[in-house]
Amino acid sequence: MTDPREPEYVDQVDLTRGRPVRLQQVSEQRYLAIMPWGQLHSIVPDPRQAEMPRMRQYLSAAQREQAELRNEIQRTIQGTKKKANAKDYARYIAEGLRGSRGERWATPPFALWLPGDMDIVRFRTPFGDDLLAYMPFDATGVLVDAETQHLAHILLQEEPATYGLTKGQVSQRLVSVEIYHQISLRGARQIFHDRNLLGVIPNKNVALASDSSNLATDITFALLESVILPASAGGQDTSLGLVVSARPRQLKSTDPEWMTLSSFRAFVVTALFGRSGFEKTSGPISDLPAGCTPELAKQYIGAVTELIFSSFAKHFERRTDTVIAAPAMLAALGAVAYRSMLWSPEPRRSPEALIELLSEVEWARDPKIWDGTVGKATTDARTGRPTLSLAGGVKDSGSRTAAALEDPASPRYGQIRGYVQPTLVTPATT
């Protein structure tokens, strides 16, 4: 006897039974499909209307039910970051569709919950059975994942010209969809929870290492490959990339690298923008300053990078005993190097004058010298000795440190060069 749960075999598609969608079965309740986004939109209406009680009175019974189920599962849009994220997502998708991102873009599958059953049939092919689902013409469903991406598509369809697209480009874009059916509302809620709360957010260093479309990150990676540091005594020349750690966010005392990727990228950002770059170090850079191109940035920042890191290599190699590789210091060095860039305003500083300016700095991690500048004086609880905490970030300490490095009017200018006897504030205990 034929199992009534098994899909029937057919020889041709019957368009009167619904919209046909080819499926790949993953489990009893989960299928994969590819369809135009416009077809998905006909199943999942604009989620914003589900949050508008006045709008729901004009919906059909099926649409009202969909709206109620959607509100049982999904996060709200109004008054949350989801609305702003959808706009950013729309720009991202538009750039991909226009080709400006090349091959460097992708969107994840939609996760669609269909509360009702699907009418599924089988086709025999030389490569095995194919599955086909007839989607009812009035079928509705709820997205348990990728609703922000869905809203982004809706924004594109509402104003395609604003994004340099046509409605056809949006509605005809092929998207992948995971379809869940024959699961309860409780199961749909659980999938939403697992998809949105169990994922591990990458740390800053990993995120930066993955984003090659960011201008500052792209320049950073180019410098890691192109900048060559001269050999230490008896050694060989080495590329900058070998002394920059691309993965751990913080280096251990035993790690051989000099700095993390995020710290070196901060140096690049401040070399691009000067002191105004302190506020830009942790975010994406989509535009370069006037007069600067990616090629010029790689040329000029690369030359200064090689000069600084070569001249003070012995201090970088002893990073646990010096302050030169501290994140705030690297950002400050970039801001000081900005004056040697072609796109900086006059008067500029020659690279040779830059090295001369820095050559008198006392780089030792001494709280008497650096307290209140790049760090804070503390007392080691184990030894009782004064020490320097470098916990302050780029935005906290970068500007003070840059002033100490290059501004003779700064009271710290002489302090970090040994001209002025420092006054050490009573340190806190750590």
Side-chain angles (χ1 to χ4, degrees), residues 27-31 69 73 111-118 142 144 178-192:
S27 66
E28 188 174 346
Q29 287 90 22
R30 182 185 174 206
Y31 295 83
L69 289 174
I73 296 172
L112 172 65
W113 173 45
L114 292 176
D117 287 337
M118 289 193 297
V142 176
V144 293
E178 297 178 1
I179 299 176
Y180 295 86
H181 84 121
Q182 293 182 341
I183 65 172
S184 64
L185 172 61
R186 182 178 180 183
R189 279 200 196 115
Q190 186 65 48
I191 293 172
F192 169 81

Side-chain angles (χ1 to χ4, degrees), residues 55-372:
M55 285 290 297
R56 289 207 295 269
Q57 64 181 317
Y58 301 107
L59 304 178
S60 66
Q63 289 173 328
R64 283 197 299 273
E65 181 181 2
Q66 188 275 344
E68 291 168 2
L69 289 174
R70 182 266 170 198
N71 290 343
E72 288 274 353
I73 296 172
Q74 275 287 351
R75 292 173 289 196
T76 58
I77 297 171
Q78 296 297 328
T80 67
K81 289 184 177 181
K82 193 171 182 177
K83 185 176 182 180
N85 289 347
K87 294 180 180 179
D88 292 338
Y89 212 153
R91 285 192 291 271
Y92 174 81
I93 295 171
E95 290 169 1
L97 291 175
R98 294 198 309 267
S100 57
R101 285 186 170 267
E103 62 182 12
R104 298 183 299 179
W105 77 291
T107 55
F110 293 88
L112 172 65
W113 173 45
L114 292 176
D117 287 337
M118 289 193 297
D119 182 9
I120 301 176
V121 297
R122 292 184 183 272
F123 278 90
R124 288 188 175 91
T125 75
F127 307 102
D129 291 350
D130 271 0
L131 294 181
L132 188 75
Y134 292 111
M135 293 285 182
F137 296 111
D138 60 350
T140 60
V142 176
L143 290 173
V144 293
D145 197 23
E147 187 181 72
T148 305
Q149 182 190 164
H150 188 54
L151 179 56
H153 281 83
I154 293 171
L155 296 178
L156 292 175
Q157 192 180 56
E158 288 177 344
E159 297 183 85
T162 301
Y163 296 92
L165 300 174
T166 65
K167 284 191 174 182
Q169 285 177 284
V170 181
S171 62
Q172 294 168 22
R173 183 196 173 212
L174 292 179
V175 295
S176 53
V177 183
E178 297 178 1
I179 299 176
Y180 295 86
H181 84 121
Q182 293 182 341
I183 65 172
S184 64
L185 172 61
R186 182 178 180 183
R189 279 200 196 115
Q190 186 65 48
I191 293 172
F192 169 81
H193 170 275
D194 296 348
R195 290 294 190 91
N196 288 275
L197 298 181
L198 295 185
V200 178
I201 299 174
N203 67 38
K204 180 181 176 181
N205 226 36
V206 173
L208 289 174
S210 303
D211 187 10
S212 60
S213 64
N214 185 303
L215 283 173
T217 304
D218 185 57
I219 294 168
T220 299
F221 275 111
L223 296 179
L224 294 184
E225 295 179 1
S226 64
V227 172
I228 302 298
L229 304 178
S232 302
Q236 295 182 340
D237 291 356
T238 184
S239 71
L240 179 62
L242 294 180
V243 296
V244 175
S245 175
R247 286 301 167 188
R249 188 169 182 179
Q250 289 185 334
L251 294 177
K252 300 176 183 177
S253 60
T254 55
D255 288 334
E257 293 88 357
W258 295 356
M259 69 203 78
T260 64
L261 176 66
S262 60
S263 294
F264 179 60
R265 182 182 179 275
F267 170 87
V268 172
V269 171
T270 53
L272 285 168
F273 295 96
R275 297 193 194 185
S276 66
F278 291 131
E279 296 297 321
K280 304 176 187 289
T281 54
S282 60
I285 303 296
S286 55
D287 297 298
L288 296 178
C292 180
T293 66
E295 292 70 26
L296 286 174
K298 294 169 188 177
Q299 176 186 347
Y300 278 81
I301 298 178
V304 168
T305 298
E306 185 171 330
L307 198 55
I308 290 176
F309 288 16
S310 299
S311 300
F312 303 103
K314 65 180 182 180
H315 300 293
F316 282 106
E317 290 170 350
R318 297 175 53 250
R319 62 177 175 80
T320 57
D321 298 319
T322 66
V323 298
I324 197 167
M329 179 61 75
L330 284 165
L333 285 170
V336 175
Y338 169 73
R339 289 276 308 280
S340 301
M341 301 299 151
L342 181 65
W343 53 90
S344 68
E346 296 281 6
R348 299 191 183 103
R349 181 189 293 123
S350 71
E352 294 73 22
L354 170 63
I355 299 303
E356 183 178 354
L357 175 72
L358 301 175
S359 63
E360 294 184 322
V361 173
E362 298 285 347
W363 299 109
R365 190 179 293 198
D366 186 341
K368 294 180 181 178
I369 299 173
W370 293 103
D371 178 46

